[in-house]
Amino acid sequence: MSSHWSAKDNVHEVAEDVYFVEGPAVNWTVLRRGKEFTLIDTGYPGNWPLLNASVNYLGLALENAAAVLLTHGHSDHIGNAPRISAMGIPVFASQAELPNVRREVLEQVTVKDLGLRVLRPRIGAWAAHAVRAGGLSDVAVAGVAAMNQGTLDMFPGSPRMIESFGHTSGHASFLIPAANALVTGDALVTGHPVSPVRGPQLLPAVFHHRPAEVPASVELLWKLNADVILPGHGSMMRTASRLDLVSEGNYPPFG
């Protein structure tokens, strides 16, 4: 999935100093201020070269990151956070998400959860990519700290944390005021390797720790009236108003 990936084609300017990076299977966001920046999510461990390439493309270096903010503690979002933390860069998540990021608990879909669905071509290809990209690696971030708005206001982009629980116990989204852009993590996506459709959608229930809570979180996100959606999976989406979901994740073989 990453052999033809390039920063030139996949780093998108959302607004001045706000950049959305579409990875082969998962995305991250860069909020720049001079030579320092805030990084939201970090991709799989195997995305390390792509993460570096995207940051370098913007004239930045990972060692100059002011902070890493995590939407949630899944391996495709925190995969490079341990490596960045070891560079002395602070890593933050919501208070309720800390156990997931430290890997004290695991609120993440497993091959066992997928069952025979993994034999379907789309599902199998995604699972194989996840394994190749280091999805089964030890990605625990022992030094992760709880973020609060006072701390976030000091970082480039001054992102505002929005609680959007359901996908995990402490899943967070981020509103970027200067761009009126919303980083939605996995609470709301616009595509995914297992999905046959493109557009605003939910992941299948098996991917969520508490799926019954996800619709309320999405409703909260819509009420923010963001101009741009920056999802954890799929392409960025510009919108002047609320859009109907193209899917609630109940497509075969998950329906």
Side-chain angles (χ1 to χ4, degrees):
M1 289 185 183
S2 60
S3 58
H4 301 296
W5 190 95
S6 72
K8 179 180 178 181
D9 293 332
N10 292 281
V11 177
H12 306 288
E13 185 174 20
V14 180
E16 185 176 4
D17 291 331
V18 178
Y19 299 91
F20 173 72
V21 185
E22 189 169 355
V26 65
N27 309 323
W28 51 93
T29 299
V30 177
L31 311 177
R32 186 172 64 180
R33 183 174 65 199
K35 290 298 183 181
E36 66 173 355
F37 63 100
T38 303
L39 177 65
I40 302 178
D41 286 346
T42 71
Y44 282 108
N47 292 149
W48 179 254
L50 311 187
L51 179 61
N52 269 282
S54 67
V55 168
N56 295 162
Y57 181 77
L58 296 173
L60 304 168
L62 271 174
E63 57 264 30
N64 294 328
V68 172
L69 310 181
L70 301 172
T71 58
H72 62 292
H74 286 172
S75 58
D76 53 337
H77 295 260
I78 69 171
N80 290 298
R83 195 165 179 173
I84 298 172
S85 177
M87 298 165 66
I89 295 163
V91 178
F92 296 90
S94 75
Q95 179 71 50
E97 193 66 8
L98 297 183
N100 280 309
V101 179
R102 293 172 182 152
R103 280 308 201 248
E104 295 164 355
V105 300
L106 186 63
E107 298 177 354
Q108 183 168 325
V109 68
T110 66
V111 173
K112 182 179 179 181
D113 295 326
L114 293 173
L116 292 177
R117 286 175 290 212
V118 78
L119 300 177
R120 298 288 189 99
R122 248 190 352 261
I123 318 306
W126 166 75
H129 173 80
V131 172
R132 289 196 303 270
L136 300 181
S137 304
D138 180 5
V139 293
V141 189
V144 64
M147 56 189 162
N148 59 63
Q149 196 55 51
T151 302
L152 296 182
D153 286 342
M154 297 186 299
F155 297 138
S158 300
R160 176 186 165 198
M161 185 184 76
I162 310 297
E163 294 181 346
S164 45
F165 302 160
H167 184 64
T168 59
S169 293
H171 186 285
S173 299
F174 297 93
L175 183 66
I176 314 303
N180 196 27
L182 187 61
V183 179
T184 58
D186 285 5
L188 176 69
V189 301
T190 63
H192 192 276
V194 305
S195 175
V197 296
R198 296 294 176 265
Q201 60 188 280
L202 306 185
L203 289 170
V206 70
F207 285 80
H208 300 304
H209 180 61
R210 296 200 295 256
E213 296 180 12
V214 175
S217 290
V218 173
E219 184 66 26
L220 173 63
L221 296 179
W222 283 131
K223 288 180 178 178
L224 296 172
N225 295 316
D227 294 326
V228 190
I229 301 298
L230 308 179
H233 303 275
S235 302
M236 63 180 283
M237 180 180 67
R238 296 188 183 274
T239 173
S241 61
R242 173 180 177 146
L243 299 176
D244 291 332
L245 295 178
V246 298
S247 174
E248 294 184 355
N250 50 7
Y251 39 75
F254 298 103

